[in-house]
Amino acid sequence: MTATEPSHLILGATMPNGTTADVLIQGEVIAAVGTDAADRADEATVRIEAAGRVLLPGLVDLHTHLREPGKEDAETVETGTRAAAMGGFTSVHAMANSTPVADTAGVVEQVWQLGQEAGWCDVHPVGAVTVGLAGEQLAELGAMAQSRAQVRMFSDDGMCVQDPVLMRRALEYVKAFDGFIAQHAQEPKLTAGAQMNEGELSSMLGLAGWPAVAEEAIIARDVLLAQHVGSRLHVCHVSTAGSVEIIRWAKERGIEVTAEATPHHLLLTEELVRTYNPVFKVNPPLRRESDVMALREGLADGTIDTIGTDHAPHTAETKECEWTVAAMGMTGLETALPVVQHALVDTGLMDWAGVARVMSVNPARIARLETQGQMDPDGGLAAGAPAHLALYDPNITRTVDPETHTTKSRNSPYRGMELPGQITDVFYGGHPVVRDRALSAPRQHR
């Protein structure tokens, strides 16, 4: 941002804890909250009438696929972070399954630099656990941690670290710099050729099944490994009721495990596969209604810590084809908060303080992001904190049209669905990257 940029005064916004307050943004920080915010504003201050809108700490996503380098036909750091800004995110973690794989300091620094140049939100590269995601040899974990990208999160997402000895070594290694391993929990021998959730419906449709135990077995093994070595484990995209129970069991015993659920696993079920529309093909697959309810309850009671979008853009050529050869994955950055409102807030399972907890505070804490996801002990926003903020209108309903989305890809599973809410304004380090429901201008990093 520039020195001449005006301050911003947000008037009458609803804080996460339900109170109403004015918020003054000056420079890169929240200068004042409450009665003195308006008094400290000058004539040049831009005023935003925010009555009825919720002001959240900027959202933090631990699970984003930006595809660059190598798959720029599906997404780039520029287009993906534009979509993130439109979804209210001020920080995203870019998964390692690019081409080349982000398994060296050079690749993660390239992704980090692209994020800095784009200027729409912070981009934190996720380093691969193993070379080439092949599960045979540890990648340059220490070099990536010491690079300019300062990687702390490592994952072979899309591929499970199947070898228990290799997983143990990775968990031990990252302790040296307070890193953590984010596991894609999928036993490959139980899911060979899998196309959807295993059950009665998969048999009826003639599609190879992906059994719940393939996820649950890896999670059970890994929480015990994490306990054994005293390291941090994060479970990506939890999708089954059994997985929630295992994570709950582990937390009760003090094991350092955290977990995420995706928006699509909080709303969509395997019944959609009856259409054979590949937009609903995802890994892990859409599960049963009982699994959806268990995930919602797990988020509400704190068993599941975060919501990660698993934003996975694909080209039309790889997605709009017959089911068995279609790529797995869905876009999700721009619809995440509306889905969360629909599935958790509007159902009474979670208030806006809870949303801030699972979409801002907890992911920032897990990733050790000191400038993101900050709230005061009462669930409000505190003066002096970095001005990473998202203003959200929960009182409108929109029909999802992927053709209007900012992401480069169109594989949204919510096409034609009515969802509540819309991000109206986003401040990234005090700079408005979204204003009046549209992209404004990127932040210029000094």
Side-chain angles (χ1 to χ4, degrees):
M1 62 182 296
T2 65
T4 57
E5 186 171 313
S7 302
H8 290 80
L9 178 63
I10 302 173
L11 295 163
T14 300
M15 300 293 104
N17 60 11
T19 62
T20 301
D22 300 336
V23 175
L24 178 65
I25 300 169
Q26 290 180 329
E28 299 181 3
V29 301
I30 298 172
V33 178
T35 55
D36 65 336
D39 295 338
R40 292 180 55 181
D42 57 28
E43 292 183 358
T45 299
V46 177
R47 286 162 169 78
I48 301 173
E49 296 291 343
R53 287 186 260 173
V54 180
L55 187 62
L56 298 167
L59 308 184
V60 177
D61 190 8
L62 293 180
H63 198 144
T64 310
H65 296 272
L66 296 181
R67 301 304 189 204
E68 192 173 10
K71 301 175 183 176
E72 291 85 355
D73 53 345
E75 193 78 286
T76 66
V77 172
E78 171 73 25
T79 60
T81 54
R82 283 173 172 251
M86 288 297 289
F89 292 90
T90 54
S91 180
V92 298
H93 288 69
M95 280 293 175
N97 57 343
S98 52
T99 306
V101 171
D103 56 7
T104 65
V107 178
V108 297
E109 285 195 349
Q110 177 188 357
V111 175
W112 177 82
Q113 183 62 41
L114 288 168
Q116 291 282 297
E117 293 170 358
W120 297 103
C121 68
D122 283 347
V123 175
H124 302 279
V126 176
V129 178
T130 66
V131 175
L133 309 180
E136 298 175 354
Q137 177 184 350
L138 286 183
E140 299 177 2
L141 308 185
M144 289 187 279
Q146 295 169 11
S147 71
R148 288 188 301 161
Q150 297 182 323
V151 177
R152 292 295 179 269
M153 178 177 177
F154 298 87
S155 180
D156 279 1
D157 184 60
M159 305 294 291
C160 179
V161 183
Q162 179 189 11
D163 186 335
V165 175
L166 201 60
M167 185 63 176
R168 173 183 174 171
R169 289 175 180 165
L171 287 165
E172 290 174 329
Y173 198 111
V174 298
K175 288 175 62 178
F177 42 80
D178 195 25
F180 64 101
I181 304 298
Q183 175 72 294
H184 174 101
Q186 177 184 0
E187 170 51 63
K189 290 185 178 180
L190 288 173
T191 57
Q195 296 288 319
M196 65 170 294
N197 182 50
E198 181 179 280
E200 182 179 348
L201 183 59
S202 63
S203 297
M204 290 175 57
L205 298 179
L207 295 173
W210 200 122
V213 69
E215 175 174 300
E216 296 157 9
I218 294 295
I219 295 174
R221 182 202 75 177
D222 286 351
V223 295
L224 293 174
L225 285 173
Q227 180 184 42
H228 182 65
V229 304
S231 191
R232 293 202 292 145
L233 169 72
H234 182 73
V235 184
C236 295
H237 42 48
V238 173
S239 69
T240 77
S243 295
V244 177
E245 287 304 311
I246 294 167
I247 293 163
R248 184 176 286 120
W249 175 91
K251 287 192 167 188
E252 288 171 351
R253 284 152 182 79
I255 300 172
E256 284 196 89
V257 58
T258 55
E260 73 189 22
T262 71
H264 49 271
H265 285 115
L266 295 174
L267 184 60
L268 309 178
T269 74
E270 65 174 3
E271 288 297 318
L272 292 165
V273 182
R274 290 182 184 273
T275 66
Y276 288 101
N277 184 343
V279 76
F280 301 118
K281 187 178 181 182
V282 66
N283 188 9
L286 300 179
R287 304 289 190 180
R288 299 167 301 174
E289 182 73 16
S290 57
D291 295 307
V292 170
M293 294 299 109
L295 293 176
R296 293 183 183 185
E297 292 290 345
L299 279 160
D301 68 21
T303 301
I304 300 175
D305 302 86
T306 74
I307 292 172
T309 68
D310 196 8
H311 174 78
H314 291 291
T315 62
E317 291 78 11
T318 58
K319 198 64 175 171
E320 296 175 11
C321 51
E322 69 175 280
W323 179 280
T324 54
V325 297
M328 295 182 177
M330 305 166 169
T331 59
L333 285 168
E334 293 167 81
T335 50
L337 197 50
V339 171
V340 168
Q341 179 186 344
H342 180 65
L344 296 174
V345 179
D346 291 351
T347 57
L349 285 171
M350 188 173 285
D351 57 16
W352 289 109
V355 173
R357 170 175 57 84
V358 299
M359 298 192 75
S360 302
V361 179
N362 283 353
R365 171 182 54 82
I366 292 166
R368 304 296 196 251
L369 305 181
E370 296 180 356
T371 65
Q372 297 274 351
Q374 295 194 9
M375 292 172 61
D376 66 28
D378 297 323
L381 301 172
H388 301 300
L389 300 168
L391 191 59
Y392 180 74
D393 183 352
N395 301 306
I396 63 173
T397 300
R398 297 183 300 154
T399 301
V400 177
D401 180 6
E403 305 306 319
T404 67
H405 287 175
T406 308
T407 175
K408 201 169 187 179
S409 295
R410 297 291 173 259
N411 53 303
S412 169
Y414 310 109
R415 182 186 294 269
M417 185 180 297
E418 286 195 348
L419 289 175
Q422 184 179 18
I423 287 289
T424 64
D425 301 83
V426 177
F427 291 88
Y428 167 42
H431 176 78
V433 290
V434 176
R435 280 288 287 119
D436 296 326
R437 298 174 170 82
L439 287 171
S440 177
R443 176 187 178 193
Q444 300 300 314
H445 287 276
R446 295 193 180 103

